[in-house]
Amino acid sequence: MKIRHKLVIILAVLLIALNGIVGFFIYKQTRLEFTKEIRGKARMLVIQLETTRNYLASIMHTIELNEQTKKFIPAVATNAISKNFAKKTGYIIKQTSLRYRNEENKPDPFEEEILRKMEEDPTIAEYWADEVFHGKRVERYLYPLYVTEDCLLCHGPKENAPSVVRDYYDAGYDYKLGEIRGALSVIIPKEIAEQRYAAAIIFFIIIGTASILLVVVIIFFTANKFLKPIEKLTAAATAIKKTGDLTTKVEISTNDEVGQLGEAFNDMSDKLRSSYAMLEQRIAEKTEHLQRAVSALKRANRMKSEFLANMSHELRTPLNAIIGFAEVLKDKLCGDLNAEQEDFVKDIHSSGRHLLQMINDILDLSKIEAGKMELQYEVFLVSDAIEEVYTILKGLAKKKLLQLKTVIQEDVKDIEADRVKFKQILYNLLSNAIKFTPQNGTITTNAAIVDGKMQVSVSDSGIGIKPDDQGKVFKEFWQADSSFSRKYEGTGLGLALTMRIVEMHGGNIWFESEYGKGSTFYFALPLTKSQKIQFLEGVEEEETSSHTLPPAAKKEGKTILVIEDNRMSANLLTLYLTNAGYNVVVSADGVDVVEKAKKCNPFLITLDIMLPGIDGWEVLSKLKGDKNTAHIPVIIVSIIDNKELGYSLGAAEYLIKPIGRKQLVGAVNAVANTLKIKDKPMKILVVDDDEKAVKHITTILKEKGSDVLKAYSGEAGINLALEMHPDIIILDLMMPGISGFEVMERLKAHPVAKEIPIIICSAKDITAEEKRELNGNILALIKKGSHTEEDLLLAIRKIEQSHHKG
């Protein structure tokens, strides 16, 4: 919208508003004055009528009343005058009395009420009121008539009244001098008054509208003259903006300030065109330099990625052997060690783990910088995560006689974040606190909700941080103790990595420290996932376990084919598996893998991904593509972290090097146990009160070779589960008596039955709250009426696989 249009609209609105306000006040004042005028006329009218009545009453003594002269009786004459006046003016005037003689003078309810008030209060000289009369708005006016001596001629004692009055009227006698005889009632329709002031208002509106239109027209043409040059300037500037053509000129012929502005605009356009040409030349030069720099950066980044990939393989491969063989010696699988040898082996093992941690930290940082680390969001209890980290670090704290305290506020419940990374943040902060706190010190972890975020702090009574060093705390490879006589070990990567993980969650981290007295590190994370950050690959934290070694599979002599090109890694895997009771066949490459598997007939294959000649992915595809080897479970053992691809290609388990003996043997035994289940029919308990549903599921399962147990109530299902120990339970939720929720609760509380996998098969729509209740207690959920045979069998196969993937 143009400026002149806006100006005209604004002025028009202001004038209309002003006219409206003035018109309102004129309307109010005019209406008030007209009302006063009408009331004045009504008052004058009744005074004239009263005067006429009084005059006629005074001459009644001189006139002989008969049929001809009775028209001069005051009441009769007043009625006649009122009717004629009403016809000509619209005013309704009547006489009224509480003791009326004529029906015409009978008071209406309003008149009766006012007459009684006047009798009670003689000071009322007149009475005005607004009312609705016969459906119309009217002004009501009552003027009282008092009895005079002349009135008593007709209204005194009846026997003294003229014969013509006695013959016609039975009422209206025996009045006393000064009493109220009645009143003159005037009814004025509002429309009589409104016609006059409405005409005045219409006249004002016409004059006001005409003046507004005249002013608007004058302003429009005046503004057009002054604003036309400005519009030319605007059009020229817009053309330059759209086309970038700095040759655009504006022609303004006026000699005023606007003309000078036009000349300045043209000069500026010329100078900009010249500057733009010079700028384009410089940009071209800079772009060429930048392209060369970008190419160099891409090459450097590619070399960095290749270097990290090579370093990951080259460092982790020998570390796998160092840590693995040290663990073998430490666990005395190759014979007893003397005390000195045992100490040396422990040193080798701990040093290898320390070096592995440093490599993992460096790789984690490089992945974050490359945007390749992905957060796996889940909802978990903060208190549980803190307790899990405490479980790992309690041993270190106990060695230094440190006291670990936890303060969790009541409003702290769960958080949606990456559980592993959350624990890694806590682990780094708590391990630093333990490292830099002297013996008999105290470390406190506090969790609270602050400003809508989860805020966790770790406070210690340690050495603190010098003021000069506090700006370096989150830098890579910086350490609180950097002297030549270092007392505290560390790579200086923990806090830098912690800060990056916190920031990936959308949080922030900071600290407070006083040198010599201790430090407090804080971090705050959003309570829920604010946005989904996608990266190319994820990083998983290796969790150490203090559990005992799982028992070896009881199928003695089972053969495992190990496909591994690194001699030390192959020897280590052979040692682990042979000691666990398995026969091992080693292949250094994946060539002719199907023929090798047919020849040695293994019950399980371990596979490295990085093989000479052919990579592990192709080997896995060949194994799963041949009907003779497709059934053999494959455990991937590699430094390559791509579990999802491995599982999608059919791997039974995915282990990342370096791996421990317990981890490997546990995975192999889990697969062996699964195969043991497959060697015999699956025993499946179906619990459902619907006999048709039980029959349908039984038919499907028996066709696939499973043994089926049937229970038609929750109580019967619990009893059969405890008595027969089925491999799987298929459970309906909605049953009379004991519901499926209660069945599951009682089974999960039993020390043996709690391990039985449960598949929910129900027609009930599961609510969000019920899903949370079921979470962790079931392994599959199938909806009745919509599932197919494949859905049910797929759920059972997933449960079989969960024995070794869980």
Side-chain angles (χ1 to χ4, degrees):
M1 185 181 293
K2 295 184 178 181
I3 294 177
R4 66 170 178 269
H5 296 159
K6 293 181 179 178
L7 183 61
V8 169
I9 291 173
I10 292 172
L11 290 175
V13 170
L14 290 175
L15 286 172
I16 292 171
L18 181 61
N19 273 8
I21 295 171
V22 173
F24 175 75
F25 283 109
I26 291 176
Y27 167 79
K28 295 288 289 185
Q29 188 64 28
T30 304
R31 181 170 182 172
L32 182 61
E33 290 178 358
F34 284 151
T35 301
K36 286 181 180 180
E37 181 182 344
I38 289 172
R39 288 187 176 185
K41 288 181 179 179
R43 187 180 291 109
M44 184 62 66
L45 178 62
V46 296
I47 291 172
Q48 290 174 348
L49 283 174
E50 182 187 24
T51 303
T52 302
R53 281 174 53 88
N54 292 340
Y55 172 75
L56 291 175
S58 66
I59 65 173
M60 285 294 100
H61 297 282
T62 61
I63 301 174
E64 181 181 354
L65 291 176
N66 52 39
E67 290 297 326
Q68 285 76 28
T69 60
K70 70 178 182 179
K71 294 180 181 180
F72 293 98
I73 295 173
V76 176
T78 301
N79 282 339
I81 293 171
S82 298
K83 290 178 181 177
N84 290 329
F85 191 83
K87 290 179 180 179
K88 293 182 178 181
T89 64
Y91 285 42
I92 301 174
I93 304 173
K94 59 180 277 193
Q95 298 175 104
T96 183
S97 174
L98 295 175
R99 289 184 284 177
Y100 56 89
R101 283 177 171 170
N102 296 325
E103 282 294 324
E104 294 178 353
N105 297 338
K106 180 180 178 180
D108 60 26
F110 171 78
E111 293 167 339
E112 182 178 355
E113 179 186 357
I114 304 307
L115 283 172
R116 296 192 184 280
K117 286 184 179 181
M118 289 179 172
E119 285 183 346
E120 295 172 359
D121 185 4
T123 61
I124 301 176
E126 60 182 359
Y127 193 90
W128 285 98
D130 288 330
E131 202 186 21
V132 176
F133 183 77
H134 293 169
K136 295 183 179 181
R137 292 172 56 246
V138 296
E139 288 266 359
R140 297 294 301 263
Y141 178 53
L142 259 69
Y143 182 84
L145 298 174
Y146 293 95
V147 177
T148 64
E149 289 184 1
D150 295 329
C151 296
L152 293 177
L153 176 64
C154 296
H155 294 286
K158 184 175 182 180
E159 60 272 11
N160 295 334
S163 59
V164 68
V165 174
R166 290 196 309 269
D167 294 341
Y168 279 95
Y169 306 111
D170 294 327
Y173 300 104
D174 299 323
Y175 277 94
K176 300 291 189 293
L177 187 64
E179 286 183 338
I180 292 180
R181 163 71 183 91
L184 290 174
S185 176
V186 182
I187 303 173
I188 309 169
K190 290 281 188 180
E191 60 187 13
I192 294 176
E194 289 175 347
Q195 284 174 358
R196 293 189 60 188
Y197 58 71
I201 291 299
I202 292 172
F203 175 76
F204 172 80
I205 291 174
I206 293 172
I207 296 300
T209 303
S211 64
I212 291 172
L213 291 176
L214 181 61
V215 171
V216 168
V217 170
I218 293 172
I219 292 173
F220 182 84
F221 286 106
T222 304
N224 185 50
K225 179 180 180 181
F226 287 103
L227 295 177
K228 196 69 175 179
I230 296 178
E231 291 177 358
K232 290 182 179 180
L233 277 172
T234 304
T238 304
I240 292 174
K241 175 184 175 182
K242 290 182 177 179
T243 64
D245 183 10
L246 292 174
T247 62
T248 304
K249 299 290 183 179
V250 59
E251 296 182 1
I252 300 176
S253 58
T254 61
N255 296 322
D256 53 12
E257 290 84 353
V258 179
Q260 295 174 6
L261 181 61
E263 291 179 4
F265 179 85
N266 291 333
D267 291 341
M268 181 180 66
S269 178
D270 292 336
K271 292 179 179 179
L272 280 174
R273 185 169 65 253
S274 176
S275 300
Y276 185 73
M278 184 181 298
L279 183 61
E280 280 188 326
Q281 181 181 356
R282 292 182 178 178
I283 288 175
E285 295 173 356
K286 295 295 183 182
T287 301
E288 185 180 354
H289 291 303
L290 184 60
Q291 287 175 344
R292 289 199 296 265
V294 168
S295 299
L297 284 173
K298 287 182 178 179
R299 181 173 176 274
N301 188 54
R302 185 172 62 254
M303 293 178 65
K304 174 188 173 183
S305 300
E306 292 174 357
F307 171 77
L308 289 173
N310 292 333
M311 288 296 293
S312 173
H313 179 264
E314 296 300 327
L315 289 175
R316 281 179 171 171
T317 298
L319 269 178
N320 182 49
I322 293 170
I323 296 172
F325 285 122
E327 190 178 57
V328 168
L329 294 174
K330 182 168 66 71
D331 292 340
K332 300 180 182 179
L333 298 181
C334 296
D336 292 334
L337 304 174
N338 58 40
E340 187 176 15
Q341 290 171 336
E342 190 170 347
D343 287 341
F344 289 163
V345 168
K346 287 181 179 178
D347 288 342
I348 294 171
H349 186 265
S350 63
S351 297
R353 299 293 299 183
H354 180 71
L355 183 58
L356 176 63
Q357 181 62 47
M358 183 175 67
I359 293 171
N360 287 337
D361 286 347
I362 293 173
L363 291 175
D364 280 350
L365 278 174
S366 66
K367 285 183 178 180
I368 291 176
E369 289 175 353
K372 294 183 178 181
M373 180 174 284
E374 181 180 354
L375 297 179
Q376 302 296 331
Y377 279 90
E378 61 178 296
V379 178
F380 58 89
L381 290 175
V382 174
S383 56
D384 290 351
I386 294 175
E387 186 59 34
E388 290 170 11
V389 176
Y390 269 21
T391 300
I392 299 173
L393 295 174
K394 279 179 180 177
L396 293 176
K398 188 175 181 181
K399 289 181 181 179
K400 298 181 69 174
L401 304 178
L402 300 177
Q403 186 178 3
L404 297 179
K405 294 182 179 180
T406 306
V407 179
I408 300 179
Q409 304 300 324
E410 292 183 359
D411 56 349
V412 174
K413 303 297 182 185
D414 52 32
I415 186 174
E416 186 180 11
D418 189 311
R419 184 187 184 109
V420 173
K421 298 297 184 291
F422 184 86
K423 288 165 59 179
Q424 186 175 355
I425 295 168
L426 280 174
Y427 178 87
N428 287 345
L429 296 180
L430 283 167
S431 60
N432 271 356
I434 293 171
K435 182 192 304 183
F436 294 109
T437 301
Q439 287 190 346
N440 300 309
T442 301
I443 297 172
T444 303
T445 302
N446 189 306
I449 304 296
V450 179
D451 296 333
K453 289 187 175 183
M454 178 67 65
Q455 180 173 301
V456 182
S457 64
V458 176
S459 304
D460 63 61
S461 56
I463 63 173
I465 304 171
K466 296 177 181 179
D468 294 343
D469 292 333
Q470 291 187 5
K472 311 173 187 175
V473 167
F474 295 110
K475 290 185 177 180
E476 291 88 347
F477 303 105
W478 179 85
Q479 295 168 323
D481 179 13
S482 57
S483 62
F484 288 106
S485 56
R486 286 179 57 194
K487 178 181 178 181
Y488 305 100
E489 295 182 353
T491 62
L493 291 173
L495 287 177
L497 182 58
T498 299
M499 183 182 71
R500 303 292 182 87
I501 295 174
V502 169
E503 290 175 347
M504 283 181 66
H505 280 85
N508 56 310
I509 184 170
W510 69 99
F511 70 94
E512 298 171 355
S513 182
E514 185 176 352
Y515 185 63
K517 293 187 177 180
S519 305
T520 300
F521 279 80
Y522 303 85
F523 69 92
L525 301 180
L527 290 172
T528 57
K529 178 182 176 183
S530 58
Q531 60 179 357
K532 186 176 181 180
I533 307 174
Q534 295 182 343
F535 297 94
L536 296 178
E537 65 177 293
V539 176
E540 294 186 9
E541 180 188 76
E542 179 184 357
E543 297 183 356
T544 58
S545 174
S546 59
H547 298 298
T548 57
L549 180 68
K554 294 183 179 180
K555 288 187 177 273
E556 298 292 332
K558 285 275 187 184
T559 299
I560 298 176
L561 174 59
V562 175
I563 303 176
E564 172 64 68
D565 66 313
N566 183 270
R567 182 185 57 80
M568 290 188 292
S569 296
N571 290 342
L572 187 61
L573 291 175
T574 301
L575 183 60
Y576 285 162
L577 297 173
T578 303
N579 186 262
Y582 297 102
N583 296 324
V584 179
V585 175
V586 178
S587 175
D589 57 58
V591 180
D592 300 329
V593 65
V594 175
E595 286 70 19
K596 293 176 183 176
K598 290 178 183 178
K599 183 176 180 181
C600 65
N601 191 27
F603 92 101
L604 183 143
I605 298 172
T606 71
L607 174 64
D608 187 16
I609 294 301
M610 299 183 67
L611 296 171
I614 181 174
D615 64 34
W617 302 125
E618 189 174 347
V619 172
L620 182 59
S621 297
K622 286 185 176 181
L623 288 170
K624 294 303 176 182
D626 191 284
K627 64 179 181 179
N628 297 312
T629 57
H631 67 282
I632 304 175
V634 177
I635 296 178
I636 293 176
V637 182
S638 177
I639 63 169
I640 303 283
D641 184 1
N642 200 338
K643 291 187 177 183
E644 292 182 359
L645 179 58
Y647 289 143
S648 67
L649 291 175
E653 183 56 279
Y654 200 119
L655 305 177
I656 301 173
K657 292 180 181 179
I659 58 172
R661 178 169 59 92
K662 299 175 184 178
Q663 185 184 9
L664 176 65
V665 176
V668 172
N669 285 342
V671 174
N673 291 333
T674 302
L675 294 175
K676 179 181 177 181
I677 292 174
K678 292 181 180 179
D679 291 341
K680 62 179 181 179
M682 293 281 289
K683 188 191 300 181
I684 301 176
L685 170 60
V686 181
V687 185
D688 197 327
D689 63 313
D690 185 354
E691 293 184 6
K692 293 181 180 179
V694 174
K695 184 177 180 181
H696 176 236
I697 295 175
T698 301
T699 303
I700 294 173
L701 297 177
K702 282 191 173 181
E703 184 181 357
K704 298 301 178 181
S706 299
D707 292 335
V708 180
L709 304 173
K710 307 171 189 176
Y712 298 100
S713 68
E715 189 68 39
I718 294 172
N719 294 334
L720 272 175
L722 298 180
E723 179 183 353
M724 303 302 295
H725 304 293
D727 299 310
I728 298 174
I729 297 175
I730 299 176
L731 176 64
D732 183 24
L733 291 178
M734 303 297 292
M735 293 185 294
I738 298 178
S739 69
F741 291 99
E742 294 173 278
V743 171
M744 187 170 59
E745 184 178 356
R746 287 171 59 176
L747 290 178
K748 292 305 176 183
H750 193 275
V752 176
K754 68 180 181 180
E755 301 297 333
I756 303 174
I758 297 176
I759 297 174
I760 296 296
C761 184
S762 177
K764 174 178 173 57
D765 288 329
I766 306 299
T767 65
E769 183 177 354
E770 289 169 342
K771 285 182 180 178
R772 288 193 294 270
E773 182 180 346
L774 294 171
N775 187 28
N777 292 327
I778 65 171
L779 290 179
L781 178 63
I782 299 173
K783 189 170 178 62
K784 266 187 182 178
S786 61
H787 74 277
T788 62
E789 177 180 344
E790 288 75 16
D791 293 332
L792 179 62
L793 298 177
L794 179 61
I796 294 174
R797 284 197 295 272
K798 285 184 178 179
I799 290 177
E800 293 178 344
Q801 295 174 1
S802 69
H803 283 281
H804 57 278
K805 285 187 185 179

